[in-house]
Amino acid sequence: MDTPANDRTATTARQALDALADNTEDATAMDALASSDVLVPVPDDAGEADATDPDVVALPVIERAGGEPVVPVFTSEPAMAELLPHVSRYRLVPLGALASQWPTEDLALTIDAGSPHPLTLTSEGVRTLLARP
């Protein structure tokens, strides 16, 4: 049985997150994660142009406990639906490309929040660990 490409990516990204839960310095897992696509929820207030423009990605920013801003992204639709069941639109974005253009402000990234092995990175961590040329 063939697995759709986005399911393979989700599996690769999910496996990388599981490996990083065991060893946060696993370079192979970090490379696999950085080369994976992630689902970026489109904010409710984003216009149609922001939702479809291939050169712009509107980042959904939520506040964690303590008021810290964080952008949630997900490795699969089920992971996203578990935490954000009311999201109606999302973009599939290469994580490395997203990281290479990450804002310099203090904005964290959380991958698969709500899963058994989520990964949260600071703004600096996103740019240094995940950005790929």
Side-chain angles (χ1 to χ4, degrees):
M1 180 177 180
D2 288 339
T3 304
N6 61 341
D7 287 348
R8 279 195 300 273
T9 299
T11 301
T12 300
R14 185 73 252 153
Q15 289 172 344
L17 288 174
D18 293 343
L20 289 167
D22 292 332
N23 176 6
T24 58
E25 297 186 20
D26 185 331
T28 302
M30 193 60 74
D31 287 343
L33 187 61
S35 65
S36 296
D37 291 337
V38 292
L39 284 65
V40 179
V42 173
D44 289 337
D45 60 351
E48 191 60 31
D50 289 335
T52 58
D53 185 340
D55 296 325
V56 177
V57 177
L59 298 177
V61 179
I62 59 175
E63 287 188 7
R64 290 193 303 184
E68 297 174 82
V70 63
V71 173
V73 299
F74 301 91
T75 59
S76 67
E77 286 182 357
M80 183 173 62
E82 186 175 317
L83 187 68
L84 302 173
H86 301 294
V87 168
S88 60
R89 301 182 296 174
Y90 65 85
R91 306 262 313 257
L92 191 61
V93 178
L95 186 56
L98 183 65
S100 69
Q101 298 179 23
W102 199 252
T104 56
E105 64 194 59
D106 190 21
L107 184 62
L109 173 77
T110 296
I111 305 168
D112 281 358
S115 74
H117 298 132
L119 177 65
T120 300
L121 296 170
T122 64
S123 186
E124 182 180 337
V126 172
R127 289 188 306 274
T128 60
L129 297 174
L130 296 176
R132 296 294 183 259

